[in-house]
Amino acid sequence: MSALIEVNTDGLAKLGKTICYGLGITAFGHKQMANAEAYAAIKKAETDTKIKLLNLKRDEEIANYIRARESRKMNNAKSIVEEAISHFECGEKVSDEPVNEDWTNRFFSIIEDISDKSLQKIWGQILAGEVKQPKSYSLRTLDVLRNITKEEAELFIKATQFYIEKNFICTEEQFLSPQEVWLLGETGLINNDDLIKSWDVEPNSKLEVLLDKNILIVLHNNSNKKNFCSISVRKLSKAGIEILSLIDKQVDRATFYNALTSILKSRGLSRVVKHEILQYTDNQCSYKTIGEEL
């Protein structure tokens, strides 16, 4: 891949401009710097200049340190830029709103120190997502994510399997241990307050509960008494909600649905039926009339 590529999508062109600003350079003509090799070439030139000045002063030890440090930073950022590029498709249209300059500065100052491959993947997705739709990821989210370890990121991915309704994570001990819940609270991805999510099902009645934008469950109470059914939850923080959008939505949640059903039945419900949502809006949704009994 050449250092400068001919941009043939609006998305890549905008990504190129964002990267150029982050590097403090100007794009030339109809070509935009929108790939990792170009990033590496420019950062290497900056480093070589520093090294030459140090060598002139006979500061060889410092020069070697800077060379190693800058090389590591360059490779980290290069990998993340490469990941971001992979999220653009030919002909893809994106928002024409420019990425905020403060956001760009903060992003590029952070990613040079991100060396874990799984975290680099997340940061690449963030850059691509912000280019496509600015204000998708706040500065606070960048600061939260910069302090998260690989293990904490993996724990959050695990926790998102237990996502319910709009902004909650089910924290029943069958899913997350008290220590895991505490750690997620420390990361800033979920709030620290223990909450109870309750559903009141009238006698001989049923209640629809939206688990996410793809799945709805119907709670059936066949008894003559009102059922007060509840589970323990924590609310996702703003950063948690934004990072949740990066998690692969293809995760198989069948085990969670079955375990949640067992909890709800143990608390008095007669039946739980899962439906696939066909169409969803803020006010209502339509779903398959024949559901799957859990």
Side-chain angles (χ1 to χ4, degrees):
M1 182 186 292
S2 61
L4 291 174
I5 62 173
E6 191 74 40
V7 171
N8 58 8
T9 77
D10 290 344
L12 274 176
K14 188 178 177 186
L15 176 64
K17 289 179 180 178
T18 303
I19 297 171
C20 285
Y21 177 83
L23 293 174
I25 63 173
T26 304
F28 298 95
H30 297 293
K31 293 184 177 181
Q32 304 284 353
M33 194 289 291
N35 66 62
E37 294 302 325
Y39 184 99
I42 292 164
K43 295 300 288 185
K44 184 177 184 303
E46 293 176 351
T47 302
D48 287 347
T49 299
K50 295 177 184 178
I51 299 301
K52 288 177 182 177
L53 290 173
L54 287 167
N55 284 336
L56 287 174
K57 297 178 181 179
R58 300 184 184 279
D59 292 329
E60 184 176 348
E61 188 172 340
I62 298 176
N64 289 336
Y65 167 76
I66 290 179
R67 183 183 291 108
R69 185 192 65 182
E70 295 300 318
S71 177
R72 173 180 55 80
K73 288 185 174 184
M74 177 190 70
N75 287 330
N76 289 341
K78 175 183 173 182
S79 295
I80 291 169
V81 168
E82 213 164 45
E83 175 65 31
I85 293 167
S86 72
H87 289 279
F88 289 86
E89 298 178 359
C90 184
E92 182 176 2
K93 302 299 180 183
V94 300
S95 168
D96 59 2
E97 180 182 353
V99 178
N100 180 271
E101 293 181 357
D102 288 340
W103 190 96
T104 302
N105 289 333
R106 184 82 59 88
F107 181 88
F108 278 92
S109 71
I110 292 172
I111 63 170
E112 292 180 338
D113 292 319
I114 306 298
S115 56
D116 180 80
K117 296 300 181 185
S118 57
L119 292 177
Q120 287 178 347
K121 182 177 180 180
I122 293 175
W123 282 98
Q125 288 178 275
I126 287 178
L127 176 57
E130 188 70 12
V131 167
K132 292 179 182 184
Q133 185 56 63
K135 300 184 179 71
S136 294
Y137 304 101
S138 65
L139 291 174
R140 180 172 296 152
T141 293
L142 298 187
D143 285 339
V144 168
L145 189 56
R146 79 183 299 176
N147 294 314
I148 288 178
T149 65
K150 177 184 178 181
E151 291 72 25
E152 290 166 343
E154 289 173 346
L155 175 58
F156 182 68
I157 291 172
K158 172 187 174 181
T160 59
Q161 297 177 56
F162 316 129
Y163 169 76
I164 64 169
E165 293 198 336
K166 291 185 178 180
N167 305 317
F168 297 97
I169 296 292
C170 182
T171 54
E172 293 284 335
E173 288 196 34
Q174 290 93 324
F175 307 126
L176 295 168
S177 70
Q179 175 65 20
E180 288 175 324
V181 174
W182 174 83
L183 182 56
L184 286 171
E186 288 293 294
T187 65
L189 294 172
I190 65 173
N191 293 335
N192 287 318
D193 296 330
D194 289 317
L195 302 174
I196 297 295
K197 189 68 184 173
S198 60
W199 301 291
D200 300 341
V201 190
E202 297 295 330
N204 297 302
S205 184
K206 61 184 181 181
L207 180 68
E208 295 177 353
V209 175
L210 188 68
L211 289 189
D212 55 45
K213 288 193 174 183
N214 298 311
I215 297 297
L216 175 145
I217 58 175
V218 181
L219 311 180
H220 292 260
N221 177 16
N222 296 338
S223 72
N224 295 322
K225 296 181 179 179
K226 188 173 183 177
N227 182 276
F228 301 94
C229 196
S230 62
I231 59 173
S232 301
V233 297
R234 287 279 185 97
K235 191 170 184 179
L236 286 160
S237 66
K238 186 176 188 297
I241 292 170
E242 291 179 0
I243 296 173
L244 178 67
S245 67
L246 302 174
I247 306 301
D248 186 5
K249 299 300 190 297
Q250 302 304 313
V251 172
D252 183 6
R253 301 218 299 161
T255 301
F256 169 60
Y257 298 143
N258 290 326
L260 180 61
T261 295
S262 296
I263 292 173
L264 297 177
K265 285 183 176 179
S266 73
R267 294 172 187 176
L269 288 176
S270 307
R271 299 170 57 216
V272 178
V273 180
K274 177 171 71 73
H275 294 274
E276 179 184 344
I277 296 173
L278 302 178
Q279 186 176 11
Y280 175 86
T281 65
D282 289 339
N283 298 319
Q284 61 183 5
C285 66
S286 61
Y287 55 88
K288 289 184 178 179
T289 55
I290 299 178
E292 174 189 353
E293 180 113 18
L294 295 173

